[in-house]
Amino acid sequence: MISTAIGAAAVLVAAVAVAASSVVSPAYGAAGVTLDDRVAHAHWRYRDSGKVLSNRVNVQDGVMMRGEWERRLKATNPRLVMRKVDVVALKVRQTLQVIVARNKARRQSRIKLDAFRRNAAKVKAFCAAMPRVAILHVHPSGTRDLKTIKEMLTELNPLVNGSLIIEEANDGVLTTLYPNEVTALAALPVQRYSKFGAAGKRVIEELFFLPRKPETHSFTRFEALFTIGDLLLEQDESKDVYVEEKTFLDFAKRAVRLGLSYVEFTKVEIPPTRKALNRFGELKALIKKETGMTANFVFAFVRTIEPTSLNRGWARDLVNLTTTAEENSLRGIDLLANEVGTPALEKAQGIYMPVAAARQAGETRLKSTMHAGELGDPRNVRDAMIMGAERIGHGVLLREDPVAIEFARRTKVGIVCSLVSNRLLRVQANYRTHPFLRFLRLGIPVSLSTDDEGMFRTDIANECEVAVSNTDVQYSEMVALSRNAVLESFAGSTTKARLLATLAQELKAFEASFKRTG
Ligand SMILES: *[C@@H]1O[C@H](CO)[C@@H](O)[C@H](O)[C@H]1NC(C)=O
Ligand SMILES: *[C@@H]1O[C@H](CO)[C@@H](O)[C@H](O)[C@H]1NC(C)=O
């Protein structure tokens, strides 16, 4: 069985190699221009266009429109254009490299996942114990699980007004609810949570999670969850601190139980103020004290905010605020929300270019990551990287652009993937074909995260189970995913070194014990 599989893989490798070389040699060899020459030229256009964009935004205080941007990104030398045939050749070459990397990972793996990936109980046991120390893409208000929600509702006892929820969480633009949900909400009596019977309470608690049916949802149905959360948990300002701290601490406690000791939260705190930045520091200290977890924060801008000039002003304010003090808890910027109709170039240039310039000038230490390639324009990942994003949240649509993939692997841009989120929100139809593994095998530093784990009813161990049972990910690749979460974090070098040492130690112990018992 196994030898047949290896034999088949070898034949496939040979076939792809022949296919690749027959595409490659006549087209490039003769003309003296290689595929790599063309890719390098395309990447030079990325960098050159990025410089023009920086100058436009930071020096001229102007704006780069899409037409000019795409024109600038085109090859300037006709001999070096990426033709259709070149794109195909590049894809074939990458596929070949993916196969070679997969086979190498299989050979190097100390634990053979192929031996038990169809056995759900064994996969569960493996993923519960698989060492991991860091998680990088966490939206605090999306983390609350059913236990946390029940406790908060009991403590806050909010007024539940179905009509108000319909009005705010079903605006038809940013948020939507299903017709049956609207009917059910309209029928609810307007009263406090404690007045409902057990069944009524269940209905209210379920409002905090994506419905189980249908199986997948539009982004606007997802966004409704945040509105509902705010409506029910933020009625009494005097309880805001309770809600915030319980949200962070409950998540951190669960995360510690799953082996994590470092988390990066993406938090919306616009407009930026000294007070908000100080609060990051207080929360970091609280989380450390109560759970032992090291937490850092990423300041999230919202891509749907109009006019775009608001974000531009706030980015400058943020840089200004962070220049005055060495920030210990705030490590970077992010851009989030529905990517449909809010492309990266148009929405991010006024935010990312000033931050990149300030960082180059040594005025801030803020790094940048961006939600890109989740939905919307597939060019967003490319443009995020050109605008200086060192790490991408989601990145799924990067799969469409082999030239941008080459850029990510050569410049080591990290990609943080959330498998359950991507399937539930129709970003990737099934786990089996999710590109995280292709990216990883091409040498892009991919890691796994949970995004909004409460809302999606997942956690980092479950993401591992999804990966192991639906793909042919190898053990050495699971190790790489765990390591990449540290390497691609915005933690300082001392923290990174400590986390890597802990991970190495845990891996050693895990491999020894898993061999004995597994
Ligand atoms: C419930 O919300 C609706 C819609 O906003 C509002 O008109 C109504 O006054 C609210 N009811 C109570 C009791 O607050
Ligand atoms: C930045 O901060 C300084 C003082 O800390 C202030 O004088 C200046 O106006 C600020 N600039 C902007 C753009 O807010």
Side-chain angles (χ1 to χ4, degrees):
M1 228 4 231
I2 286 172
S3 67
T4 317
I6 292 172
V11 170
L12 186 55
V13 169
V16 176
V18 169
S21 64
S22 65
V23 177
V24 175
S25 16
Y28 308 99
V33 174
T34 67
L35 181 55
D36 281 317
D37 292 337
R38 293 173 195 271
V39 171
H41 185 70
H43 292 172
W44 171 66
R45 294 312 310 145
Y46 285 15
R47 281 187 283 269
D48 191 56
S49 306
K51 279 185 200 148
V52 175
L53 180 62
S54 175
N55 186 64
R56 180 72 48 83
V57 173
N58 295 319
V59 180
Q60 301 173 355
D61 201 21
V63 172
M64 174 83 74
M65 307 293 272
R66 176 64 68 169
E68 181 188 350
W69 181 243
E70 297 299 336
R71 257 194 326 278
R72 287 191 177 280
L73 284 167
K74 282 211 168 80
T76 50
N77 181 344
R79 285 181 67 237
L80 294 172
V81 169
M82 283 292 295
R83 302 160 301 174
K84 278 209 177 98
V85 63
D86 304 310
V87 173
V88 171
L90 184 55
K91 279 186 184 163
V92 169
R93 192 171 80 180
Q94 288 172 348
T95 298
L96 176 63
Q97 289 164 336
V98 163
I99 294 169
V100 169
R102 195 268 319 272
N103 291 344
K104 186 171 167 208
R106 184 174 276 156
R107 281 196 308 275
Q108 289 179 342
S109 289
R110 300 217 175 101
I111 294 172
K112 303 295 175 199
L113 298 183
D114 292 339
F116 63 86
R117 71 173 83 245
R118 302 269 165 263
N119 180 332
K122 280 210 168 155
V123 170
K124 202 174 182 64
F126 167 82
C127 285
M130 172 73 205
R132 55 182 80 87
V133 290
I135 184 165
L136 302 182
H137 185 128
V138 178
H139 301 278
S141 58
T143 61
R144 300 173 193 126
D145 68 357
L146 185 59
K147 181 167 175 288
T148 296
I149 289 297
K150 278 183 175 173
E151 288 169 5
M152 282 186 176
L153 287 172
T154 304
E155 166 74 21
L156 300 167
N157 197 22
L159 184 71
V160 181
N161 182 343
S163 313
L164 184 62
I165 294 176
I166 295 167
E167 224 173 78
E168 303 270 323
N170 189 38
D171 71 11
V173 183
L174 295 177
T175 57
T176 49
L177 296 170
Y178 294 114
N180 65 315
E181 295 178 307
V182 171
T183 309
L185 281 166
L188 284 182
V190 181
Q191 59 186 23
R192 294 206 173 261
Y193 171 77
S194 63
K195 293 270 189 261
F196 286 88
K201 282 186 174 154
R202 277 298 296 155
V203 170
I204 294 156
E205 289 151 14
E206 280 301 312
L207 292 173
F208 289 83
F209 305 92
L210 268 185
R212 290 182 196 273
K213 282 192 182 133
E215 261 188 62
T216 65
H217 307 271
S218 66
F219 204 84
T220 52
R221 177 61 190 84
F222 165 62
E223 291 264 48
L225 296 174
F226 293 93
T227 308
I228 294 170
D230 290 352
L231 284 174
L232 291 174
L233 302 180
E234 292 182 6
Q235 291 181 4
D236 178 356
E237 236 178 78
S238 73
K239 296 282 190 177
D240 285 355
V241 169
Y242 158 81
V243 171
E244 183 176 60
E245 293 184 353
K246 185 171 171 59
T247 299
F248 280 108
L249 291 177
D250 282 8
F251 167 79
K253 285 173 198 160
R254 289 194 305 273
V256 166
R257 282 201 293 275
L258 292 172
L260 297 166
S261 53
Y262 178 87
V263 56
E264 253 163 52
F265 291 111
T266 278
K267 186 125 165 47
V268 178
E269 279 295 348
I270 43 175
T273 58
R274 169 55 46 206
K275 188 161 170 261
L277 265 50
N278 289 344
R279 184 68 183 145
F280 291 145
E282 290 167 16
L283 288 167
K284 175 177 177 141
L286 177 74
I287 293 165
K288 186 79 180 178
K289 177 167 156 273
E290 298 291 325
T291 70
M293 173 89 105
T294 301
N296 278 325
F297 289 81
V298 173
F299 187 100
F301 290 87
V302 181
R303 66 198 326 142
T304 45
I305 285 200
E306 296 284 358
T308 307
S309 57
L310 277 178
N311 277 330
R312 193 173 172 130
W314 290 334
R316 289 184 173 160
D317 292 346
L318 181 68
V319 165
N320 209 17
L321 282 168
T322 57
T323 54
T324 52
E326 282 282 281
E327 290 306 325
N328 186 31
S329 49
L330 176 63
R331 296 304 172 119
I333 58 164
D334 197 351
L335 181 67
L336 50 69
N338 197 339
E339 228 176 309
V340 176
T342 57
L345 173 74
E346 287 80 350
K347 295 296 168 182
Q349 58 179 278
I351 305 168
Y352 284 67
M353 301 324 288
V355 171
R359 192 174 50 227
Q360 268 165 26
E363 292 167 7
T364 181
R365 294 192 308 172
L366 290 180
K367 293 173 175 276
S368 50
T369 179
M370 194 192 297
H371 282 59
E374 183 181 21
L375 294 161
D377 195 323
R379 297 173 295 193
N380 288 347
V381 183
R382 175 198 70 185
D383 295 345
M385 293 190 295
I386 298 174
M387 286 188 273
E390 292 138 283
R391 201 171 82 204
I392 301 293
H394 298 296
V396 173
L397 297 177
L398 177 64
R399 67 180 180 219
E400 313 287 330
D401 185 347
V403 178
I405 287 177
E406 259 343 89
F407 190 74
R409 63 194 294 208
R410 289 173 197 197
T411 54
K412 295 283 173 208
V413 170
I415 300 186
V416 185
C417 288
S418 300
L419 305 179
V420 173
S421 166
N422 290 160
R423 199 184 79 83
L424 291 182
L425 301 184
R426 301 175 184 159
V427 175
Q428 181 69 37
N430 61 60
Y431 295 131
R432 204 170 37 79
T433 54
H434 195 291
F436 80 97
L437 198 47
R438 183 176 176 86
F439 296 159
L440 183 72
R441 287 173 175 168
L442 287 171
I444 296 173
V446 176
S447 64
L448 295 181
S449 188
T450 54
D451 200 7
D452 296 280
E453 62 178 59
M455 291 169 169
F456 299 138
R457 300 180 174 91
T458 186
D459 61 29
I460 195 65
N462 183 57
E463 299 287 326
C464 165
E465 288 173 41
V466 165
V468 172
S469 55
N470 291 283
T471 72
D472 66 353
V473 68
Q474 302 297 314
Y475 173 69
S476 65
E477 293 169 327
M478 291 307 300
V479 172
L481 293 168
S482 289
R483 274 177 59 80
N484 288 340
V486 178
L487 296 172
E488 295 306 309
S489 77
F490 294 164
S493 52
T494 317
T495 305
K496 276 191 188 182
R498 171 173 61 78
L499 293 169
L500 286 174
T502 306
L503 181 62
Q505 227 168 36
E506 288 179 4
L507 284 167
K508 215 169 149 190
F510 172 68
E511 284 163 15
S513 84
F514 201 84
K515 279 226 176 91
R516 271 199 315 277
T517 62

